[in-house]
Amino acid sequence: MWLIGAHVSIAGEISQSFDRAKALNCTAFQIFTRNPRGWASKKLDEKDILNFHKKFGETGLFPIAHMPYLPNLASPNREIYDKSVKILSEELTKCHILKIQYLVTHLGSHMGTSEEEGIRRVANACNIALKSSEGNTVLLLENTAGQKNSVGHTFNHLRKCLDLIEDRSRVGVCFDTCHGFAAGYDIRTHDAVENLLKDFDKIIGIERLKVIHVNDSKGALNSHLDRHEHIGRGQIGLNGFKALMSFKQVQKLPLIIETPYDSEKDYMHDIEILWSIAREQF
Ligand code: ZN
Ligand code: MN
Ligand code: MN
C-alpha cells in the first residue's frame, strides 16, 4: 500500500489532523505537534491524546511529526541551543505519547561558525534529546537546500552527523526533493534518480531513508533556493516524480507533499497527481 500524504494543520484539536488528511485522500500525513513559529507550546491533555489514538485506530493513516521552525540545533548561542535541545526532547516524548513513529527535524544554521562545528552541535543535541526523552521515537534528519550557513545539504553532512549519534536505532533521514534539487542533486530523469539513490546508499545507507518530502522546486538545480512548487509545475517536473516513484526503495516510504498552500484545490491536485503516478506502477 502506498503511503501518500500532505502536511496538514492541527488547528482546533490535534486529532482533527486525521480528518483533514482523510478529506485530502491521504494514507499518510505530517503535522507540527506545536505552533511552528513560536517557542511556547500548549500541553496535550488526556482528551487530546485519547481522541488522537482513537482516530489513529479507526483510520489506519500513518502520521509523521515535524519539529517547529524556531529551534536551531546547530546554534553557537548557548541559550538558543539549550532551548532547542529541550524542545527536541519534549517533541520526541510527545510523539511517543501520541504513538507517532517519526519526528522530522532540520539540522539548523551554524550562524557563520563552521559546518564542522554545526554538525557536531546537532549530533550532541540529538544525543541529549534522545537520552532525555521517553519512548523510542525515531528522529529523522532532513536535508536542506544549502542556504547560507545551513547544515545538512549534502549526504556527507548527514552521514557525519549520523556517525556522531550514539543510538543508531533511533535515527534516520527524511529526503526533501525540493531541498535536494536546490542543493545540486538532480531528480529530473530516471538515470538521475538512480544515481541519487546509489549515492545515498553508498554514503548513508538506503535503509536509513525513512520519509520523502515530495515537493517540486521553484529554484533551479544547485540554486540553493528553498522555494517549494506544486508537483509538475517546477524545475523538477512531472517526469522527475514519475522516475522517483518507479523505484522500489521509494514505493514503500511515506511520501509527503509540502507544496505551497494557495488553495485547497491546488493541494488536492498535488495529492491526486501522486496517486495517478502510483496507479501507473505495477
Ligand atoms: Zn522540514
Ligand atoms: Mn521538507
Ligand atoms: Mn523547505
Side-chain angles (χ1 to χ4, degrees):
M1 193 196 64
W2 288 81
L3 294 171
I4 288 175
H7 186 100
V8 299
S9 157
I10 57 163
E13 199 194 279
I14 194 161
S15 71
Q16 286 177 253
S17 53
F18 282 98
D19 308 315
R20 294 190 175 103
K22 242 191 126 90
L24 286 167
N25 201 16
C26 297
T27 47
F29 66 94
Q30 179 176 274
I31 53 170
F32 291 118
T33 53
R34 59 157 81 197
N35 174 5
R37 296 181 202 284
W39 287 100
S41 143
K42 178 178 141 252
K43 220 178 152 331
L44 289 176
D45 59 33
E46 271 313 303
K47 194 176 120 272
D48 295 336
I49 298 166
L50 279 174
N51 285 341
F52 195 88
H53 289 166
K54 189 164 158 269
K55 288 203 178 146
F56 202 155
E58 283 168 5
T59 62
L61 299 186
F62 191 99
I64 292 159
H66 195 297
M67 275 281 281
Y69 291 130
L70 284 183
N72 179 6
L73 304 175
S75 175
N77 175 311
R78 192 79 227 182
E79 203 188 318
I80 303 266
Y81 185 74
D82 289 346
K83 265 208 292 198
S84 302
V85 174
K86 183 164 166 280
I87 289 186
L88 182 61
S89 174
E90 285 171 7
E91 295 307 291
L92 283 165
T93 299
K94 203 185 277 174
C95 287
H96 165 65
I97 292 168
L98 294 171
K99 300 182 181 157
I100 296 175
Q101 196 179 340
Y102 297 131
L103 174 65
V104 178
T105 183
H106 296 185
L107 282 75
S109 165
H110 62 66
M111 308 294 283
T113 52
S114 76
E115 283 177 353
E116 206 59 43
E117 284 174 61
I119 288 169
R120 244 182 289 132
R121 281 191 290 265
V122 175
N124 182 56
C126 295
N127 282 328
I128 299 169
L130 286 169
K131 263 184 232 152
S132 62
S133 59
E134 290 169 42
N136 48 15
T137 311
V138 176
L139 183 59
L140 303 184
L141 307 178
E142 179 175 350
N143 65 312
T144 53
Q147 315 91 302
K148 191 168 184 275
N149 295 337
S150 83
V151 182
H153 51 279
T154 69
F155 292 165
N156 277 313
H157 281 182
L158 297 171
R159 168 65 199 266
K160 273 189 203 155
C161 191
L162 290 168
D163 278 349
L164 294 170
I165 296 175
E166 287 149 20
D167 190 347
R168 296 292 162 82
S169 70
R170 291 187 62 193
V171 279
V173 171
C174 167
F175 182 76
D176 185 307
T177 55
C178 168
H179 299 174
F181 188 73
Y185 293 97
D186 197 359
I187 313 176
R188 290 173 293 193
T189 63
H190 192 274
D191 285 357
V193 175
E194 189 165 39
N195 278 331
L196 173 103
L197 292 172
K198 260 194 207 143
D199 243 31
F200 191 102
D201 190 38
K202 200 172 69 201
I203 298 168
I204 302 174
I206 200 73
E207 71 286 352
R208 294 261 167 238
L209 181 60
K210 304 293 188 192
V211 170
I212 299 184
H213 282 168
V214 182
N215 302 309
D216 211 330
S217 170
K218 279 200 171 86
L221 182 69
N222 219 0
S223 62
H224 299 288
L225 275 178
D226 182 4
R227 299 263 193 295
H228 300 192
E229 180 55 285
H230 294 289
I231 307 300
R233 285 192 240 164
Q235 301 283 326
I236 296 175
L238 198 56
N239 278 330
F241 295 102
K242 282 186 181 170
L244 183 72
M245 288 171 68
S246 73
F247 286 87
K248 288 270 170 301
Q249 306 95 304
V250 169
Q251 294 176 353
K252 54 179 201 262
L253 302 176
L255 309 175
I256 306 289
I257 61 157
E258 300 170 312
T259 51
Y261 193 85
D262 310 325
S263 75
E264 185 86 356
K265 216 174 110 245
D266 279 345
Y267 221 48
M268 277 185 102
H269 188 59
D270 286 330
I271 291 287
E272 192 36 54
I273 290 175
L274 295 193
W275 278 118
S276 70
I277 298 173
R279 279 193 297 267
E280 284 168 23
Q281 311 297 325
F282 43 85

